């Protein structure tokens, strides 16, 4: 009977999950061109049923995505944790419920200069232009951390100019001399390195090691009015993350290819072959205090927040995550 125990527990969990009827059976969201999100994967794997996703278009950045949650135009959205904390500080009624992207040994964002560039340190960036995908998000925070660790004062950091450039144009902007430093991750990083002629100055992995960097958020009212739907969304997404983490990468890539082909959005799926890992640190996307607190501390240092104004432990919840009881040192709240 011992060998049957895991299967019996799984069946019990599935039975309990199915017994709680979802109050809302359709979730509106924004996607990403040429990418498959974990909620989309969860739906394809059958984990989300009877809840279905309704795609209303593609987003251009995390901050835009979560702001659209606040306005009520979509039901869930995700962004870099610094952007999430900043929006909550502005009294947005949202709550992070699951981590969905991050940094590990194969999934990371690099900050690159041309191979012949004289830039070797943070101080060399004073007066230079840096390409980022959007302001107030992951790329900006990592750059500012690198500059601060390099000994630059706040006044000197202000002399480093951020230029908003679409990620697909970042490499070109660097090679043409429009910027002196550009951010590249995933397929864009790998393709640029294959072409050669660029050099990594630093990466988010160099700065912080492995960590979850962004979370999906729900409106507080949505959670209050639709607790079963919220639970189904988080449970399904958590299981999809673990499926991707534990499946051979070639199997994950094949599934992503099929999902993109079936949804018929006239997309280029060539980037999928470069997918390597989830990048998510916590099992099933569990959120840890430190993954929000580090950015709260930055906002305090920047003068955006007052000391003690926000505390990471009060901003998010792991309540709906089925893996919360398995994790050591993660709040099961």
């Amino acid at each position: 009977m011992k060998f049957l125990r895991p299967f019996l527990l799984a069946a019990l969990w599935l039975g309990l999950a199915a017994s709680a009827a979802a109050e809302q059976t359709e979730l509106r969201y924004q996607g990403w061109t040429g990418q498959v999100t974990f909620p989309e994967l969860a739906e394809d794997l059958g984990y989300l049923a009877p809840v279905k996703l309704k795609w209303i278009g593609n987003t251009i950045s995390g901050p835009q995505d979560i702001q659209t949650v606040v306005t009520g135009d979509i039901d869930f959205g995700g962004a870099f944790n610094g952007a999430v904390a900043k929006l909550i500080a502005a009294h947005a009624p949202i709550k992070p419920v699951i981590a969905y992207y991050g940094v590990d040994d194969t999934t990371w964002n690099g900050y690159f200069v041309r191979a012949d560039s004289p830039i070797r340190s943070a101080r060399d960036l004073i007066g230079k232009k840096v390409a980022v995908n959007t302001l107030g998000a992951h790329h900006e925070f990592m750059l500012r951390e690198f500059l601060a660790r390099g000994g630059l004062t706040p006044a000197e950091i202000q002399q480093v100019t951020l230029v908003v450039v679409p990620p697909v144009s970042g490499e070109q902007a660097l090679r043409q001399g429009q910027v002196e430093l550009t951010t590249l991750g995933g397929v864009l990083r790998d393709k640029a390195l294959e072409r050669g002629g660029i050099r990594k100055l630093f990466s988010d992995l160099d700065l912080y090691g492995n960590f979850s960097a962004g979370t999906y958020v729900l409106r507080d009212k949505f959670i209050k009015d639709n607790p079963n739907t919220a639970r189904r969304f988080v449970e399904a997404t958590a299981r999809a993350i673990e499926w991707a983490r534990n499946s051979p990468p070639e199997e994950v890539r094949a599934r992503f290819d099929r999902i993109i082909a079936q949804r018929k959005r006239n997309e280029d799926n060539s980037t999928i072959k470069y997918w390597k890992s989830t990048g998510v640190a916590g099992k099933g996307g569990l959120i840890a205090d430190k993954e929000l607190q580090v950015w709260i501390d930055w906002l305090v240092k920047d003068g955006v927040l007052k000391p003690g104004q926000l505390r990471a432990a009060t901003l998010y919840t792991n309540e709906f995550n089925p893996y919360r009881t398995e994790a050591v040192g993660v709040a099961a709240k």
Side-chain angles (χ1 to χ4, degrees):
M1 287 296 293
K2 182 180 291 187
F3 76 95
L4 289 174
R5 188 174 300 167
F7 299 98
L8 292 173
L9 290 174
L12 176 61
W13 177 77
L14 289 172
L16 290 174
S19 66
E23 301 86 358
Q24 183 173 313
T25 56
E26 184 178 81
L27 294 175
R28 299 163 300 155
Y29 79 106
Q30 296 182 116
W32 291 84
T33 302
Q35 298 181 36
V36 176
T37 66
F38 288 121
E40 289 173 325
L41 176 62
E43 182 178 45
D44 187 71
L45 289 167
Y47 298 159
L48 195 58
V51 177
K52 295 183 178 181
L53 299 180
K54 182 179 181 180
W55 175 71
I56 67 165
N58 289 322
T59 185
I60 57 172
S61 73
Q64 186 275 340
D65 202 31
I66 59 176
Q67 287 164 10
T68 310
V69 174
V70 175
T71 61
D73 293 310
I74 58 176
D75 296 308
F76 69 88
F80 166 61
N81 283 329
V84 172
K86 197 170 182 178
L87 196 57
I88 293 175
H91 307 293
I94 56 173
K95 186 172 291 292
V97 291
I98 186 170
Y100 73 98
Y101 89 89
V103 173
D104 62 23
D105 292 342
T106 57
T107 300
W108 48 271
N109 292 280
Y111 292 69
F112 293 88
V113 297
R114 285 177 294 181
D116 60 356
S117 171
I119 296 173
R120 297 283 176 179
S121 69
R123 188 155 296 279
D124 294 333
L125 288 171
I126 296 175
K128 302 299 192 295
K129 294 178 181 178
V130 180
V132 296
N133 66 326
T134 189
L135 299 179
H138 187 109
H139 291 169
E140 179 181 350
F141 270 79
M142 292 298 164
L143 174 65
R144 290 166 65 83
E145 176 69 7
F146 174 73
L147 296 174
R149 291 190 190 187
L152 272 66
T153 66
E156 289 173 327
I157 291 175
Q158 290 297 317
Q159 296 177 50
V160 180
T161 303
L162 300 180
V163 181
V164 176
V165 176
V168 294
S169 303
E171 178 189 355
Q172 181 181 7
L174 177 66
R175 294 187 187 278
Q176 292 181 348
Q178 296 168 347
V179 297
E180 285 80 20
L181 180 72
T182 192
T183 53
L184 295 169
V187 58
L188 300 176
R189 177 198 71 205
D190 292 347
K191 283 186 173 181
L193 288 172
E194 285 176 3
R195 283 185 277 269
I198 63 172
R199 167 172 52 82
K200 187 188 77 170
L201 183 63
F202 71 97
S203 72
D204 46 15
L205 180 65
D206 296 334
L207 294 176
Y208 287 105
N210 294 11
F211 67 100
S212 290
T215 48
Y216 280 125
V217 304
L218 298 172
R219 292 187 306 281
D220 293 340
K221 188 176 187 303
F222 181 94
I223 295 173
K224 180 180 179 181
D225 294 344
N226 307 280
N228 294 331
T229 302
R231 184 176 300 278
R232 182 61 57 87
F233 166 72
V234 175
E235 287 179 343
T237 303
R239 293 179 64 200
I241 290 171
E242 287 307 299
W243 181 87
R245 189 197 304 275
N246 294 300
S247 298
E250 58 271 20
E251 182 179 348
V252 179
R253 290 192 288 264
R255 190 134 200 157
F256 284 174
D257 277 332
R258 183 171 63 78
I259 292 172
I260 289 176
Q262 289 180 343
R263 67 192 186 192
K264 298 180 180 178
R265 297 180 191 168
N266 193 28
E267 301 167 90
D268 177 8
N269 69 342
S270 62
T271 62
I272 295 300
K273 66 181 179 181
Y274 291 89
W275 186 91
K276 297 175 181 177
S277 66
T278 68
V280 178
K283 188 169 185 178
L286 285 166
I287 305 169
D289 284 4
K290 63 182 180 180
E291 293 166 352
L292 282 159
Q293 191 62 51
V294 63
W295 309 119
I296 293 173
D297 294 343
W298 241 114
L299 293 169
V300 170
K301 185 167 56 176
D302 248 12
V304 177
L305 298 179
K306 297 177 182 178
Q309 182 178 339
L310 290 183
R311 190 166 58 89
T314 66
L315 301 188
Y316 71 92
T317 182
N318 283 320
E319 174 188 358
F320 303 121
N321 198 308
Y323 299 99
R324 66 189 184 280
T325 57
E326 300 178 29
V328 177
V330 175
K333 58 180 185 174

